[in-house]
Amino acid sequence: MNTPLASGWIGVGLTDIGRIRKINQDAFSIDNEQQLWVLADGMGGHAGGEIASQLTVETIPASFNTQRDGQPSSPIPAATLETMLVKAIESANQIIRDQATQNPDIKGMGTTVVAVGITRTADHSQAVIAHAGDSRAYVLRNKQLTLWTKDHTLMEERLDLNLITPDQVRTHPLRHVLTKALGIDPQAMPTVRTYELEPTDIILLCSDGLTKMLTDPEIHTLLLKDTPNLTQMCHRLVETANRLGGEDNTTVVVVGADSDATLVDLPSTTD
C-alpha cells in the first residue's frame, strides 16, 4: 500500500449507563502517548463490578509504563508488546483478587477486558490485541468490518462444537455466561494476538452493551455513515444502542491513524 504511514494513532472513547442499569460498571482508558487503549466491563450481577473495571483500566496503563521504564514513545517489537500486555493484564487480575479478599463486600467481583497496544516501525504498524471475556475488538478496513476477538463464553464453546447455531445464540438465556474474566481465577490467561495494520484502519473496542443491541452488520453500517470522525462514531454507536433499548451499559473506544486531520476529534474523557 502506498499511503504514507501516520505519525501515530489516536483513540477516542465514550461510556454510557444505558436505559435500564442503575450504575455504570464499564470503564475505559485512553493513552495515546503510550499507544495503549483499554476497555473493561464489570461483570453484571457481581458485587464490585464497577470497582473491578476501574482497577483494570488504571492498572494496565500503569504497569505498561513501568515496564517501558518511563519511555512511552520508544518502539518495541510486537512479541515484546504481547508479553508486556499479558503481564499488565495479569497484574490487574491480581489486584482485583487482592482487593476482593480484603473486603468481603466485593468478594467475587470481576470484569472483562479488551486492550490494544500499537507498535510502529519505519514502514508498518502492528496492533497487539489482548482480551478476556466478551468485550470485543473489531477492525474496519477498506469498508469491511472484521471481528478480531473471539468471545470467552459458554455459547462460543457450544458454537465450536456445533451444538448451537449463531441465530440461537442471540436469544439463548445463557448467552452471557463467561468462561474467562479478570478477578475469577488466580491467572487470567488472556488471549493475545498481533495483527498487521493498514494506515486507514479503524479499530473498535466495545463492551457487550453494544453487541447486545446491534448486530455486526448494523455496527458496520454506523461506522461507515457520514464523515469518518472518531468522536462522531462513538456517539453514533452509543446513541443507537440506547435508542434500541439500552439494556446494558455501553462503552466504545475507536482508534484511528492521525495522518488525516478530518479523521479525529479531541479525545473524550471517562467522565
Side-chain angles (χ1 to χ4, degrees), residues 25-27 40-42 48-58 110-111:
Q25 293 188 316
D26 288 2
D41 177 0
E50 70 278 13
I51 298 174
S53 61
Q54 191 62 43
L55 285 171
T56 297
V57 302
E58 292 173 355
T111 183

Side-chain angles (χ1 to χ4, degrees), residues 40 47-49 51-57 59 89-103 106-113 181-184:
I51 298 174
S53 61
Q54 191 62 43
L55 285 171
T56 297
V57 302
T59 300
I89 289 173
E90 293 292 356
S91 294
N93 185 62
Q94 190 58 55
I95 287 174
I96 291 168
R97 289 174 59 81
D98 288 347
Q99 291 219 7
T101 298
Q102 296 166 15
N103 185 349
I106 54 176
K107 183 179 180 180
M109 69 177 177
T111 183
T112 70
V113 65
L182 303 194
I184 307 307

Side-chain angles (χ1 to χ4, degrees), residues 108-258:
M109 69 177 177
T111 183
T112 70
V113 65
V114 59
V116 55
I118 293 179
T119 183
R120 295 179 296 117
T121 63
D123 59 352
H124 73 292
S125 295
Q126 293 174 296
V128 175
I129 306 288
H131 81 290
D134 60 359
S135 292
R136 295 180 177 180
Y138 294 85
V139 65
L140 182 68
R141 175 178 295 170
N142 298 326
K143 297 186 177 181
Q144 298 299 313
L145 186 68
T146 302
L147 179 60
W148 268 354
T149 54
K150 185 175 183 178
D151 293 350
H152 297 127
T153 62
L154 180 62
M155 290 299 99
E156 199 67 40
E157 291 184 352
R158 292 187 177 182
L159 278 171
D160 289 343
L161 296 171
N162 295 317
L163 298 175
I164 194 170
T165 68
D167 286 341
Q168 290 173 320
V169 169
R170 288 191 64 81
T171 57
H172 198 284
L174 300 179
R175 64 189 178 278
H176 298 302
V177 175
L178 301 179
T179 56
K180 189 176 289 188
L182 303 194
I184 307 307
D185 296 314
Q187 288 188 305
M189 294 187 292
T191 298
V192 57
R193 291 188 64 183
T194 296
Y195 296 89
E196 294 294 323
L197 283 172
E198 298 289 348
T200 55
D201 285 349
I202 292 174
I203 300 169
L204 167 67
L205 308 182
C206 65
S207 65
D208 71 342
L210 183 72
T211 53
K212 281 178 183 176
M213 308 312 302
L214 294 167
T215 64
D216 285 4
E218 289 169 335
I219 293 171
H220 183 204
T221 298
L222 290 170
L223 289 174
L224 290 177
K225 187 177 180 181
D226 302 327
T227 305
N229 178 285
L230 300 187
T231 300
Q232 291 173 359
M233 289 177 180
C234 288
H235 283 278
R236 188 179 300 130
L237 290 167
V238 171
E239 288 167 1
T240 303
N242 283 337
R243 188 168 65 249
L244 294 175
E247 295 176 4
D248 200 352
N249 314 139
T250 300
T251 301
V252 297
V253 172
V254 184
V255 180
D258 69 353

